[in-house]
Amino acid sequence: MTTETARPEHTNYVHGYSDAEARRLGDQADTLVELLHADTAYPAGSRVLEAGCGVGAQTVHLLAASPGVLLTAADLSAESLAQARARVAEQVPAADVVWHHGDLHKLPFPDGAFDHVFLCFVLEHLPDPAAGLAALRRVLRPGGTITVIEGDHGSAFFHPDSPAARRTIDHLVRLQAAGGGDGLLGRRLHPLLTAAGFTGVAVRPRTVYADGGRPALAEGFTLRTFVAMVEAVRAEALAAGLTTPEAFDRGIADLRRAAGPDGTFHYTFFKAVAVNP
């Protein structure tokens, strides 16, 4: 494995870079691997770019499904890349990976350097996702594919319903927007990819639904992925004057009820695949 370095710019990751966030990302990836990645596999020898690989939570599943690919994993955070390298070394030690530290808008690779581009939960953190897609299209060969996965916090609904919980989720959406991101980006994938010049754009919703009959999913997704993500912005929401401690904590408590034996929780991810003509 080799590493290339560059100076990172533009940090808008609302969730932060704590150890707890790294664990949350791992829990999310492991819980959703079949839902999000079952139909993603690349032939051995393919040159694949994972843009925004983060701590490698998705990387290990990408590599496991596509043995023999030549993967370049890029991220803005040197700390996240170090965690990704360690995760891959532990879980997929035979993988052929080039690690690139830098801004995906300024990739140092020639035009058409990759056969496939993959990014998961990245566009939502970019101030200009269209510009990010344009930069990625440049390094994708003609006829190559791009796969993009994004969530949409507006798709969350649950039982028992709770105005307090919905307001708490909205604090996350507003904080992400204030930082230049978009927690509702999933619904925009088709127009974004089309405007960036990709063709054959196909977007498919991937729905997570947990109830009392699916306790493992309620634990892995509702609590350890979604509620943990919302709960992590408590300090920021309070500092921004969006809420009070009591109101925020009430919303989190109500969200947790959705993971109980009598609760239900629904969320939709959007997965798009498109071609560089």
Side-chain angles (χ1 to χ4, degrees):
M1 299 181 183
T2 60
T3 303
E4 299 176 2
T5 60
R7 184 178 178 179
E9 300 175 7
H10 310 309
T11 56
N12 293 292
Y13 190 66
V14 68
H15 309 300
Y17 295 92
S18 66
D19 290 342
E21 173 62 6
R23 289 192 297 272
R24 186 190 73 81
L25 291 171
D27 290 340
Q28 175 177 249
D30 294 346
T31 300
L32 301 176
V33 59
E34 289 298 321
L35 180 77
L36 298 183
H37 303 310
D39 54 354
T40 297
Y42 302 113
S46 298
R47 302 164 300 164
V48 180
L49 170 66
E50 183 187 7
C53 68
V55 299
Q58 311 296 335
T59 312
V60 291
H61 295 298
L62 189 65
L63 289 166
S66 301
V69 298
L70 309 176
L71 181 70
T72 296
D75 200 82
L76 199 60
S77 166
E79 183 178 354
S80 293
L81 275 178
Q83 293 180 68
R85 291 190 70 169
R87 190 185 297 263
V88 168
E90 177 183 0
Q91 298 187 31
V92 201
D96 186 350
V97 183
V98 172
W99 302 96
H100 173 72
H101 174 210
D103 189 337
L104 66 80
H105 299 84
K106 301 178 181 180
L107 294 169
F109 310 114
D111 294 359
F114 298 98
D115 302 305
H116 306 282
V117 171
F118 176 90
L119 60 163
C120 186
F121 312 144
V122 174
L123 293 183
E124 64 171 303
H125 301 294
L126 303 183
D128 188 349
L133 287 171
L136 294 172
R137 186 183 166 203
R138 181 190 67 79
V139 299
L140 180 62
R141 67 166 173 82
T145 68
I146 185 169
T147 297
V148 186
I149 301 173
E150 292 289 345
D152 190 316
H153 300 335
S155 71
F157 58 84
F158 38 87
H159 171 79
D161 193 17
S162 161
R166 284 186 267 113
R167 283 193 295 270
T168 302
I169 294 169
D170 187 59
H171 298 329
L172 171 59
V173 174
R174 293 175 64 183
L175 287 168
Q176 192 162 348
D182 182 3
L184 309 176
L185 188 134
R187 67 189 71 180
R188 295 203 286 141
L189 277 185
H190 191 283
L192 279 170
L193 285 160
T194 300
F198 291 96
T199 60
V201 181
V203 179
R204 298 290 183 267
R206 307 294 171 101
T207 298
V208 182
Y209 170 74
D211 59 25
R214 306 176 184 185
L217 194 56
E219 172 70 22
F221 183 74
T222 308
L223 291 179
R224 295 172 65 180
T225 296
F226 190 83
V227 177
M229 174 181 64
V230 178
E231 192 170 20
V233 301
R234 183 181 190 273
E236 293 177 73
L238 295 177
L242 297 179
T243 186
T244 65
E246 295 77 14
F248 189 94
D249 294 345
R250 171 64 185 276
I252 293 297
D254 286 356
L255 273 178
R256 289 182 175 277
R257 290 178 62 200
D262 297 324
T264 68
F265 190 86
H266 169 282
Y267 188 91
T268 300
F269 296 94
F270 296 88
K271 181 173 185 177
V273 178
V275 176
N276 184 24

